[in-house]
């Protein structure tokens, strides 16, 4: 057993933490949150230059990391600073899926910070049911025709390509029969309706109306996209859990700092035992969350069932702890934490809204029960 | 023990329900039903005017001042029916906060001048209590008023002033004797917001809304005639006001309406091919809140009927505030959960303006409202302050 980070990962963590502390200040983040694009191209370029994007890919994919602990280290720091740049979407969901499908040309561009991607998978009625795909893919001569609607596609507007899941065979909720296609953003029949998200960044509702694509747009074999998709979403689960952990660390730190400075009744409110005990509870739960991220990251390369069981456990636990930490941090701050420009408001939103991506606390509890019974 | 309402109370409920069915504008109810808390000033004024025409605006005022003089049970019935019908809430600052203070401690001239203007909507009042350094510890407030002949000169800053952007008057706690013990040097002043030297600055909340403000005072001249009661006795009046602020503090009706909304959503949403309302985990969460709310409704009635019989609510108000806000916040958490990934979009004015909603039409405001309603356990005396009141009253101990 060894719970220390390797020297390389320690360096990555230090470099990224220092960079974000210096550059991703509250003022800078508020400026980014209020911008039309919803993220900073300049910050994005620097993340690429620092090797943060490359650390999310394995060597054969052109990166220098890519394991569960690399992803966890990067996303914990992104979460700590409340970063809204689409690292999850362009690099993990888009980049890692393309890399696994062997499209190395685009992956190189992603690692270099030159290309953005989006995974268009969820649909208006699919909720967290990952095999529910009604968007249709049909062959027409040598071409493919794609039609359907995709919901809350994060980073769709910035993406040069969208990876779209579509059904080629089987029933609406079958894992078999799902194909993945690479769709250029400027193709005829693709329309986006973009909007900002509550916790920063942007997403879009995507309509695909008889989009014609060459057969080469299909990633992997026809109807066999699920394995690729679920392996990639497993990486995203680890990333989301780590990001929430980093954000929770920030929330707790801000709260401790505030309790030490805010004076009421002639003394710092942190001297009241009623509040001290609540901080202690948050710290206890925070360590539980840290362990959950570690066991999820550590089982990422295990067999699918072991991997998924640990992921479900981690995301359930972090969903619970996340809500506690977000709500208690706001409550112990009082009114100041309710204001848009105060750092904690954004951090708390990042924590809570994590629970709406690829399954919430209840969904992962059900999944854990099912995987444990099997 | 008799859990039933009297025939008079039942007849009153029928009358309230009939009034709401005929007089509450449908568009207004639709906005409230969708969870759009932030009605326009015109909407709120229009609802006040409708109630005033019926004589039901000033529900707790005595008849001699033009009020309905309802007892606590009647007020409770109205609250329940109004929430059920998705009526807007009554803006409380003039009606149920300032007015009782003026009736008890104000001069005849002040009562004759200000009370009719609250009823007919001439004046919109806001509350100048909290300051940046005086939140839970309200008595540490620093805004000062110095007497110069027939005027006070006011300097300082108030904050968290709800709907101050609409107000033309503000009632303020100010320090008039800096040498006295904290609670003994405070006075209660009425200030015209148009007076030179007053600046209102918006505070944007974490859900992007503008409902609270900072109010800055720089050498603001206020006639001594605007002092309520005696100089340096303001803390007594402020405490009296706070007991009225706690009318309907449990918010049972609003929680019931919120829970109904969650049920509607859970019937419409599907999880794994079934209605969400049949999902055992979601159903269990919903049932637990509903059970808590049933008990709170009964607690509220117990306390309310005591008040109607003349008993004064003491720490009960604090208990209802804590439990009522926790339940309301749990309901908002359920609503956010219910819509799944469609909680993520941020429905700003620009997006909503002339477009269709993103996702189901009920999804838009829910996550934002979850965050906005974290305020419930912070304002009006935080839940920590309420617990202090309960513990100090029941267990003694140091103040």
């Amino acid at each position: 057993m060894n719970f220390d980070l390797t020297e390389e990962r320690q360096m990555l963590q230090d470099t990224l933490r220092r960079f974000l502390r210096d550059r991703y200040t509250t003022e800078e983040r508020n400026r980014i949150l209020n911008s039309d694009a919803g993220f900073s191209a300049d910050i994005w370029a620097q993340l690429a230059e620092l090797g943060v994007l490359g650390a999310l890919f394995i060597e054969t994919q052109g990166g220098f990391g890519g394991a569960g602990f690399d992803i966890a280290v990067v996303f914990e720091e992104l979460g700590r600073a409340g970063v809204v740049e689409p690292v999850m979407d362009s690099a993990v969901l888009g980049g890692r899926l393309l890399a696994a499908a062997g499209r190395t040309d685009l992956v190189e561009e992603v690692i270099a910070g030159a290309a953005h991607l989006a995974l268009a998978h969820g649909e208006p009625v699919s909720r967290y049911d990952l095999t529910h795909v009604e968007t249709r893919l049909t062959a027409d001569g040598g071409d493919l025709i794609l039609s359907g609607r995709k919901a809350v596609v994060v980073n769709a507007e910035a993406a040069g390509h969208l990876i779209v899941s579509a059904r080629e065979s089987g029933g609406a909720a079958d894992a078999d029969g799902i194909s993945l296609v690479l769709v250029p953003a400027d193709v005829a029949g693709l329309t986006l309706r973009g909007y900002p998200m509550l916790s920063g960044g942007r997403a879009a509702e995507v309509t695909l109306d008889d989009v014609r694509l060459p057969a080469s747009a299909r990633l992997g074999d026809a109807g066999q996209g699920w394995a690729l998709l679920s392996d990639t979403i497993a990486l995203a689960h680890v990333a989301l859990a780590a990001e929430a952990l980093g954000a929770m660390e920030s929330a707790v730190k801000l709260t401790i700092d505030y309790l030490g400075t805010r004076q009421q009744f002639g003394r710092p409110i942190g001297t009241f035992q009623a509040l001290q005990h609540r901080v202690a509870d948050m710290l206890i739960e925070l360590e539980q969350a840290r362990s959950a991220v570690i066991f999820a990251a550590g089982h990422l390369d295990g067999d699918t069932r072991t991997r998924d069981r640990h992921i479900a456990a981690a995301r359930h636990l972090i969903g619970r702890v996340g809500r506690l930490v977000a709500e208690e941090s706001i409550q112990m701050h009082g009114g100041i934490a309710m204001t848009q420009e105060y750092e904690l408001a954004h951090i708390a939103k990042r924590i809570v809204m994590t629970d709406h991506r690829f399954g919430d606390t209840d969904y992962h509890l059900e999944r854990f029960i099912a995987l444990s019974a099997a | 023990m008799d859990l039933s309402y009297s025939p008079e109370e039942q007849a009153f409920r029928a009358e309230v329900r009939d009034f709401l069915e005929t007089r509450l504008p449908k568009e207004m109810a639709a906005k409230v039903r969708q969870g759009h808390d932030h009605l326009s000033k015109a909407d709120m004024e229009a609802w006040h005017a409708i109630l005033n025409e019926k004589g039901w605006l000033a529900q707790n005022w005595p008849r001699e001042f033009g009020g309905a003089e309802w007892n606590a049970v009647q007020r409770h019935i109205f609250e329940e029916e109004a929430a059920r019908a998705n009526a807007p809430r009554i803006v409380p600052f003039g009606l149920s906060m300032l007015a009782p203070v003026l009736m008890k401690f104000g001069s005849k001239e002040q009562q004759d001048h200000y009370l009719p203007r609250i009823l007919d909507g001439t004046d919109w009042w806001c509350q100048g209590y909290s300051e940046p350094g005086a939140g839970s510890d309200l008595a540490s407030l620093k805004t000062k008023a110095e007497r110069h002949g027939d005027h006070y000169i006011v300097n300082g800053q108030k904050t968290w002033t709800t709907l101050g952007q609409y107000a033309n008057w503000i009632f303020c706690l100010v320090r008039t004797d800096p040498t006295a013990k904290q609670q003994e040097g405070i006075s209660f002043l009425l200030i015209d917001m148009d007076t030179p030297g007053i600046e209102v600055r918006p505070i944007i909340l974490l859900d992007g809304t503008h409902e609270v403000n900072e109010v800055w005072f720089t050498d603001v001249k206020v006639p001594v005639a605007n002092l309520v009661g005696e100089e340096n006795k303001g803390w007594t009046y402020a405490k009296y006001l706070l007991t009225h602020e706690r009318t309907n503090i449990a918010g049972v009706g609003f929680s019931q309406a919120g829970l109904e909304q969650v049920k509607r959503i859970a019937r419409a949403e599907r999880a794994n091919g079934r209605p969400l309302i049949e999902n055992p985990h979601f159903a269990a969460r919903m049932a637990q809140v509903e059970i808590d709310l049933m008990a709170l409704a009964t607690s509220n009635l117990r306390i309310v009927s005591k008040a109607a019989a003349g008993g004064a609510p003491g720490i009960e108000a604090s208990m209802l505030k804590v439990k009522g806000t926790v339940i309301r916040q749990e309901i908002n958490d359920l609503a956010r959960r219910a819509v799944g990934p469609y909680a993520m979009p941020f429905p700003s004015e620009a997006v909503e303006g002339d477009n269709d909603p993103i996702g189901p039409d009920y999804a838009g405001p829910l996550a934002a409202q979850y965050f906005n309603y974290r305020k419930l356990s912070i304002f009006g005396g935080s839940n920590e302050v309420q617990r202090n009141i309960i513990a100090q009253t029941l267990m003694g101990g140091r103040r």
Side-chain angles (χ1 to χ4, degrees):
Chain A
M1 291 270 166
N2 175 5
F3 289 103
D4 297 330
L5 291 178
T6 60
E7 210 172 299
E8 291 78 12
R9 288 182 185 133
Q10 187 64 60
M11 268 176 59
L12 175 65
Q13 184 182 64
D14 293 346
T15 306
L16 182 52
R17 189 178 297 185
R18 202 176 314 116
F19 167 71
L20 292 172
R21 194 178 50 214
D22 295 345
R23 285 295 319 278
Y24 218 77
T25 58
T26 304
E27 297 71 40
E28 173 72 358
R29 186 177 48 238
N30 286 342
R31 194 189 61 71
I32 294 169
L33 286 170
N34 290 324
S35 67
D36 289 340
F39 72 92
S40 159
D42 182 39
I43 295 286
W44 187 257
Q46 292 185 62
L47 288 173
E49 198 173 309
L50 286 171
V52 172
L53 302 180
L56 301 170
F57 293 83
I58 59 178
E59 273 183 49
T60 54
Q61 297 168 336
F64 47 87
F69 291 114
D70 299 302
I71 292 171
V73 162
V74 167
F75 276 87
E76 187 181 343
E77 295 313 313
L78 297 176
R80 188 188 311 281
V83 171
V84 298
E85 277 59 26
V87 182
M88 177 77 70
D89 306 281
S90 288
V92 179
L93 290 167
R96 285 297 297 264
L97 198 152
L98 282 188
R103 298 288 173 112
T104 46
D105 48 335
L106 255 179
V107 173
E108 275 173 37
E109 284 186 51
V110 169
I111 292 173
H116 278 287
L117 299 169
L119 175 64
H121 178 48
E123 298 187 355
V125 297
S126 65
R127 196 180 177 84
Y128 302 129
D129 188 354
L130 292 176
T131 60
H132 188 111
V133 175
E134 294 184 36
T135 296
R136 304 294 310 186
L137 187 67
T138 46
D140 181 50
D143 289 346
L144 298 169
I145 307 292
L146 181 64
S147 277
R149 284 186 60 195
K150 293 291 178 179
V152 199
V153 180
V154 181
N155 203 37
E157 295 164 302
H161 289 81
L162 278 69
I163 297 157
V164 180
S165 59
R167 185 157 295 285
E168 278 200 274
S169 60
D174 291 348
D176 273 351
I178 297 172
S179 294
L180 297 168
V181 279
L182 185 63
V183 181
D186 57 1
V187 74
L190 173 82
T191 47
L192 304 182
R193 183 176 165 215
Y195 46 81
M197 291 188 292
L198 189 60
S199 59
R202 291 182 65 83
E205 299 299 286
V206 177
T207 306
L208 302 144
D209 190 10
D210 287 333
V211 172
R212 182 170 288 271
L213 300 161
S216 61
R218 195 194 278 116
L219 302 167
D221 295 331
Q224 299 302 305
W226 173 245
L228 214 51
L229 201 51
S230 55
D231 286 352
T232 307
I233 290 172
L235 302 172
H237 281 309
V238 170
L240 283 166
E243 186 181 359
L245 171 66
M248 284 190 259
E249 287 169 325
S250 272
V252 171
K253 182 177 186 306
L254 284 165
T255 304
I256 291 171
D257 291 349
Y258 189 76
L259 294 184
T261 51
R262 171 71 173 173
Q263 299 267 338
Q264 292 281 267
F265 307 102
R267 53 182 171 141
I269 59 175
T271 59
F272 293 109
Q273 197 175 41
L275 298 185
Q276 289 174 350
H277 283 187
R278 286 160 68 179
V279 172
D281 279 338
M282 286 206 297
L283 288 166
I284 292 166
E285 295 300 327
L286 188 62
E287 290 310 307
Q288 288 283 92
R290 188 186 315 284
S291 292
V293 169
I294 289 170
F295 70 55
H299 288 92
L300 199 49
D301 296 327
D303 67 89
T304 307
R305 200 182 126 210
T306 307
R307 176 194 77 184
D308 289 350
R309 189 168 170 275
H310 282 89
I311 283 171
R315 293 234 33 216
H316 169 75
L317 188 142
I318 282 168
R320 271 196 285 133
V321 175
R323 184 181 168 205
L324 173 90
V325 169
E327 293 181 355
E328 283 284 81
S329 296
I330 290 174
Q331 183 68 27
M332 283 190 267
H333 271 82
I336 183 77
M338 292 294 298
T339 63
Q340 192 176 51
E341 62 182 24
Y342 186 69
E343 186 168 16
L344 177 63
H346 173 71
I347 295 289
K349 283 189 268 185
R350 295 295 291 182
I351 296 169
V352 172
M353 297 315 289
T354 303
D355 213 37
H356 290 269
R357 259 200 124 173
F358 302 122
D360 65 6
T361 311
D362 288 353
Y363 169 87
H364 288 291
L365 183 63
E366 285 170 15
R367 203 154 167 263
F368 181 82
I369 293 168
L371 288 161
S372 301
Chain B
M1 286 281 170
D2 179 5
L3 297 185
S4 56
Y5 286 98
S6 71
E8 295 76 30
E9 286 162 351
Q10 287 174 36
F12 177 73
R13 185 184 290 277
E15 189 189 357
V16 170
R17 195 172 288 190
D18 179 63
F19 167 79
L20 290 166
E21 265 167 28
T22 51
R23 299 302 312 279
L24 172 63
K26 299 281 173 283
E27 324 79 65
M28 213 182 265
K31 278 192 206 175
V32 175
R33 188 174 191 262
Q34 286 290 330
H36 292 284
D37 266 9
H38 305 284
L39 296 175
S40 68
K41 187 188 185 196
D43 277 338
M44 291 187 264
E45 285 176 335
W47 180 233
H48 276 210
I50 291 166
L51 287 169
N52 191 39
E53 196 192 329
K54 174 78 177 169
W56 285 2
L57 179 60
Q59 304 172 352
N60 55 339
W61 294 15
R63 286 185 203 279
E64 55 171 308
F65 292 112
E69 207 172 321
W70 285 347
N71 62 30
V73 175
Q74 286 175 303
R75 289 205 301 269
H76 170 77
I77 288 172
F78 181 87
E79 188 216 348
E80 224 171 45
E81 291 299 321
R84 187 175 159 277
N86 295 298
R89 295 200 208 199
I90 295 172
V91 182
F93 308 107
L95 281 159
S96 52
M97 294 177 157
L98 176 65
V101 171
L102 289 181
M103 288 174 202
K104 190 159 173 76
F105 303 106
S107 65
K108 177 80 171 61
E109 292 72 31
Q110 287 171 337
Q111 291 170 353
D112 289 346
H113 179 74
Y114 293 111
L115 295 177
R117 292 163 62 98
I118 292 173
L119 279 183
D120 69 17
T122 307
D123 291 337
W124 185 304
W125 285 89
C126 63
Q127 182 185 34
Y129 270 32
S130 295
E131 295 182 6
S136 291
D137 184 11
L138 183 59
S140 70
L141 61 92
K142 289 195 168 61
T143 296
K144 62 175 182 186
E146 287 175 313
R147 182 101 180 235
H148 292 271
D150 58 356
H151 281 84
Y152 290 102
I153 302 296
V154 178
N155 279 286
Q157 185 203 342
K158 295 294 178 180
T159 193
W160 312 124
T161 312
T162 303
L163 301 183
Q165 71 267 38
Y166 298 152
N168 58 333
W169 282 83
I170 181 169
F171 55 90
C172 275
L173 292 181
V174 293
R175 190 160 298 286
T176 35
D177 184 357
T179 62
K181 271 172 58 185
Q182 266 195 349
Q183 282 90 342
E184 290 165 14
I186 294 170
S187 297
F188 195 107
L189 271 189
L190 310 177
I191 304 178
D192 184 342
M193 296 282 278
D194 288 332
T195 319
I198 296 181
E199 192 193 345
V200 179
R201 298 182 194 167
I203 299 173
I204 304 303
L205 294 183
L206 79 177
D207 61 336
T209 55
H210 172 202
E211 56 185 47
V212 292
N213 302 273
E214 298 175 344
V215 182
W216 295 72
F217 299 86
T218 311
D219 294 330
V220 174
K221 262 179 93 172
V222 180
V224 169
N226 290 15
L227 175 74
V228 174
E230 293 176 49
E231 198 174 81
N232 298 329
K233 291 279 164 57
W235 189 248
T236 308
Y237 314 148
K239 282 199 299 187
Y240 180 77
L241 181 154
L242 285 173
T243 64
H244 283 267
E245 187 181 1
R246 291 176 187 161
T247 311
N248 288 339
I249 200 166
V252 170
F254 288 99
S255 283
Q256 284 168 342
L259 189 59
E260 283 310 309
Q261 186 195 21
V262 171
K263 287 182 181 175
R264 277 200 303 274
I265 294 169
R267 279 186 212 107
E269 287 283 318
R270 295 183 81 79
N272 300 318
R274 307 283 308 160
L276 179 63
I277 202 162
E278 294 173 16
N279 176 280
H281 294 99
F282 194 83
R285 282 183 190 273
M286 232 167 44
Q288 281 167 3
V289 177
E290 185 163 3
I291 291 164
D292 278 344
L293 183 54
M294 285 166 66
L296 182 73
T298 301
S299 299
N300 193 48
L301 279 171
R302 281 199 288 134
I303 290 160
V304 154
S305 63
K306 204 181 354 171
I315 57 166
E316 288 91 343
S318 293
M319 292 179 175
L320 291 177
K321 203 262 176 176
V322 172
K323 201 67 207 174
T325 53
V326 168
I327 287 174
R328 177 70 233 201
Q329 290 173 334
E330 194 64 34
I331 290 168
N332 280 84
D333 181 72
L334 284 177
R336 162 180 75 76
R337 270 174 213 282
V339 294
Y342 274 121
M344 291 162 69
F346 186 17
S348 66
E349 297 294 318
V351 178
E352 277 200 308
D354 50 7
N355 279 316
D356 293 334
I358 298 156
D361 60 0
Y362 47 72
L366 295 177
Q369 199 180 64
Y370 158 83
F371 286 105
N372 181 280
Y373 275 25
R374 301 314 304 171
K375 73 188 174 191
L376 299 182
S377 48
I378 296 172
F379 70 15
S382 72
N383 284 12
E384 287 74 18
V385 166
Q386 307 296 344
R387 289 185 180 98
N388 282 346
I389 291 170
I390 295 166
Q392 281 161 3
T393 307
L394 294 179
M395 304 169 71
R398 55 188 297 278
R399 281 197 64 86

